[in-house]
Amino acid sequence: MPPPDGCNHNPHEDDVNSPTSPFNFLDQNYQELHQNCLAENTLFYDELFPPDDSSIGTLEDNPYLDPSLIVWKRPFELVSDPNLIVDGVSRYDYAQGNVGNCWFLASIGALTFEKDIMKQVMPPEQSFTQDYAGIFHFRFWRFGKWIDVVIDDQLPTYFDELLFVSSKTSNEFWPALLEKAYAKVCGSYADLNGGLMSEALMDFTGGTHMYYSPDYNPPPADLWKIMECAFTSKALICCATNAATTAEEKEKLHGISEEHAYTVTGIFEVTSDENPVHLVRVLNPWGKVEWQGDWSDESPLWDTVCEEVRTICHEVLNNGEFWMSVEDFTSIFYCIDICCSCPDFLDGSSECHWTSKRHFGRWNAETTAETFPQFRVTIDELNEECAIGQRPENTLVSLMQNHEKRNRMSQKYYNICFFVFEIPLEMRGQSGRFSAGFVNETEPVAQTDALAGFREVMKFFRLEPGEYLIVPCTENPGDTASFVLSIFSKNETHFEYIQETSE
């Protein structure tokens, strides 16, 4: 598996930073600010995310919360011995607070499994003891760019309890500080209310995102095997439920919450009465409330497996984590997100390594159906190692939009999609854009399954060696937003933006 900063990446000229050389968010330089505080013997005060109502935002889901009773305190004002981390980072360290950001916390649960990625997001050598100055920093990948986010350690409290994410160990503060840094990026704590797991997963890794859902990308028959390979290969996996609309749908939930995000924390095969059973372990970010069906903590089915397996897998604890069969898992969880540095895991033990290309583009008010951006992709022959991979798909295309507004909840994503057309032999090598006639009259060889108002849409498919045209679109020509178009491939790939031709 390649290192956490991604596939063998050939960057576009604008994509020159990395987790180790990020851009300073809001032009705040952590090293300079930290050293200034130490030199002046002061604690950092973040004027760009101040301890007041503007950083909280409007918490519409909590009408009984009295904003006048919110008090911002530093950790040493809450406990006598604050620590960033106590006994390592764990998925059991935290529980959700007074904002609907289960999508973000479920993603943190997945993040805790991957220590290298965790260090990438939360740089080491920060503490409440050595060189403490009330300042911390975190790193996220936002719309194709790594950013370093500086915060002070003042946290909102309500009757001396943390208002938002809380630690189960009272003197451990990494979850609250990580949440604050992400809230700063998104505009406020209230801007974390509601979202898709894929947003945080991608912002943690800057990698490849795959999702499966009935409406947009139905899960394949071998989903459990894909998840097993992904989990073994250090991918982050989350899942979410939809609203239950019928009595039958509500009945089969058996303790699973509607419209809620969860973390996938384990994949395991057991033998039950001589029959193989594929299990998935799932964590509720609330830190409680669990599945009550087959293979749950108190299910009698655990008596049908050997004692060794029960020792490894079976715990009866009300910690929000539970096992279930993959059949129950896929029937209840509507969306499954897998995010990894690179999709190499899809080829099992193959020596093939995927590569990635990325381009930053823009739709503007003058964009019409005839002038959507166009990209030429040349797919080379597979080498022998890649040709023996386990899956036929060899290409993943991702289209991510960015309205460039500070407050996350103030921007509504456009319905977006992309089309992939094969370029005929007689048209290969031509310069300039392809005509509207070609685009309108040619059947695409691949496309997103539907126009979707998501931050990102993706499609996983096979392209034979040859030349192709990718056209990223908005539903309404003239919608204005920047976008990032990424292509991941296990073939050698040449990727270029087709410039407008002058008259």
Side-chain angles (χ1 to χ4, degrees):
M1 185 74 179
D5 56 352
C7 290
N8 299 321
H9 180 55
N10 297 315
H12 180 266
E13 60 182 1
D14 292 332
D15 187 21
V16 295
N17 74 330
S18 70
T20 55
S21 59
F23 295 111
N24 294 325
F25 184 63
L26 301 180
D27 293 325
Q28 290 177 301
N29 184 296
Y30 169 76
Q31 299 296 340
E32 291 180 3
L33 293 169
H34 186 213
Q35 289 303 314
N36 288 342
C37 288
L38 291 177
E40 298 171 6
N41 195 27
T42 60
L43 296 180
F44 177 61
Y45 178 92
D46 187 5
E47 296 179 349
L48 300 185
F49 198 63
D52 59 29
D53 291 348
S54 67
S55 297
I56 298 290
T58 304
L59 299 174
E60 297 178 352
D61 290 345
N62 293 273
Y64 303 107
L65 192 69
D66 185 351
S68 68
L69 298 178
I70 297 175
V71 179
W72 294 74
K73 295 188 175 184
R74 297 187 190 266
F76 67 78
E77 298 177 281
L78 296 170
V79 297
S80 60
D81 59 337
N83 286 272
L84 188 62
I85 300 171
V86 176
D87 296 330
V89 170
S90 166
R91 63 191 182 278
Y92 304 123
D93 285 349
Y94 61 88
Q96 188 174 343
N98 288 285
V99 66
N101 64 345
C102 59
W103 60 277
F104 174 66
L105 296 179
S107 302
I108 291 180
L111 178 66
T112 60
F113 279 88
E114 305 309 330
K115 305 309 179 188
D116 289 339
I117 303 177
M118 191 74 185
K119 290 177 182 178
Q120 180 174 284
V121 172
M122 184 169 65
E125 301 179 2
Q126 304 184 82
S127 76
F128 286 94
T129 52
Q130 184 176 0
D131 292 333
Y132 169 71
I135 183 172
F136 292 85
H137 67 133
F138 297 83
R139 291 172 181 168
F140 307 109
W141 184 89
R142 296 283 289 176
F143 306 104
K145 308 286 186 182
W146 281 99
I147 58 172
D148 190 81
V149 182
V150 174
I151 57 168
D152 66 33
D153 63 351
Q154 298 183 86
L155 299 169
T157 67
Y158 203 68
F159 295 104
D160 277 342
E161 298 288 338
L162 291 177
L163 180 61
F164 299 114
V165 68
S166 61
S167 296
K168 295 181 180 179
T169 301
S170 62
N171 65 332
E172 184 173 50
F173 287 93
W174 74 262
L177 294 174
L178 173 58
E179 181 186 49
K180 180 176 181 178
Y182 203 70
K184 179 177 178 177
V185 168
C186 294
S188 72
Y189 281 96
D191 279 281
L192 298 182
N193 192 43
L196 299 175
M197 305 163 296
S198 58
E199 292 187 46
L201 290 176
M202 293 192 72
D203 288 351
F204 290 156
T205 65
T208 315
H209 170 230
M210 289 171 281
Y211 60 81
Y212 300 101
S213 69
D215 289 346
Y216 299 103
N217 192 27
D222 63 342
L223 175 65
W224 185 87
K225 185 64 178 176
I226 292 174
M227 293 171 65
E228 181 189 38
C229 292
F231 196 82
T232 303
S233 300
K234 305 183 183 303
L236 312 185
I237 311 176
C238 290
C239 54
T241 53
N242 213 353
T245 57
T246 66
E248 182 181 4
E249 289 177 348
K250 292 180 183 293
E251 176 65 26
K252 74 177 184 180
L253 289 175
H254 293 300
I256 302 294
S257 299
E258 299 178 54
E259 298 182 289
H260 190 44
Y262 291 76
T263 309
V264 174
T265 64
I267 306 291
F268 204 73
E269 180 181 301
V270 301
T271 300
S272 171
D273 291 333
E274 301 183 355
N275 296 310
V277 180
H278 291 156
L279 298 180
V280 180
R281 190 174 64 192
V282 183
L283 175 68
N284 186 339
W286 291 344
K288 57 186 179 180
V289 185
E290 301 182 5
W291 164 250
Q292 300 299 318
D294 289 350
W295 300 102
S296 60
D297 285 7
E298 299 185 3
S299 170
L301 287 173
W302 286 108
D303 295 330
T304 68
V305 303
C306 68
E307 183 176 352
E308 180 183 359
V309 169
R310 289 200 301 273
T311 301
I312 296 172
C313 297
H314 188 215
E315 293 181 320
V316 183
L317 298 171
N318 184 25
N319 58 4
E321 191 171 54
F322 51 86
W323 290 95
M324 61 197 311
S325 70
V326 70
E327 291 80 12
D328 285 330
F329 177 83
T330 53
S331 70
I332 290 175
F333 288 99
Y334 174 81
C335 181
I336 301 155
D337 288 280
I338 301 174
C339 199
C340 56
S341 300
C342 212
D344 288 0
F345 70 86
L346 292 166
D347 291 296
S349 61
S350 169
E351 294 300 315
C352 175
H353 295 296
W354 290 58
T355 60
S356 65
K357 304 283 179 69
R358 182 173 293 135
H359 187 96
F360 297 83
R362 188 168 189 85
W363 299 294
N364 56 51
E366 287 73 42
T367 301
T368 66
E370 289 72 33
T371 61
F372 280 125
Q374 296 182 356
F375 297 85
R376 186 195 306 271
V377 178
T378 303
I379 304 291
D380 290 350
E381 291 282 351
L382 274 176
N383 60 39
E384 185 176 347
E385 290 81 3
C386 290
I388 60 175
Q390 293 182 354
R391 303 187 64 80
E393 297 90 346
N394 63 353
T395 304
L396 187 151
V397 174
S398 162
L399 175 64
M400 177 184 293
Q401 60 180 311
N402 177 19
H403 293 202
E404 301 169 328
K405 294 182 179 179
R406 171 70 189 281
N407 287 84
R408 175 178 171 272
M409 296 302 289
S410 69
Q411 59 185 21
K412 301 301 180 184
Y413 291 120
Y414 300 134
N415 288 332
I416 61 173
C417 64
F418 61 80
F419 298 90
V420 183
F421 304 94
E422 184 172 13
I423 300 174
L425 284 172
E426 65 272 14
M427 299 179 70
R428 294 179 186 178
Q430 76 169 43
S431 60
R433 289 175 54 86
F434 287 79
S435 68
F438 172 79
V439 172
N440 293 331
E441 296 170 13
T442 303
E443 187 72 21
V445 296
Q447 65 186 81
T448 47
D449 293 288
L451 279 160
F454 299 150
R455 186 178 79 161
E456 183 236 16
V457 295
M458 54 76 64
K459 185 70 176 178
F460 191 39
F461 51 90
R462 180 173 186 81
L463 292 180
E464 298 298 333
E467 287 191 16
Y468 298 87
L469 181 71
I470 300 180
V471 182
C473 306
T474 58
E475 182 177 23
N476 300 308
D479 287 338
T480 301
S482 61
F483 65 82
V484 183
L485 182 66
S486 303
I487 181 167
F488 301 83
S489 176
K490 62 180 180 179
N491 299 59
E492 182 62 35
T493 304
H494 307 275
F495 183 43
E496 64 173 325
Y497 171 62
I498 300 177
Q499 300 283 351
E500 295 279 356
T501 53
S502 58
E503 295 295 333

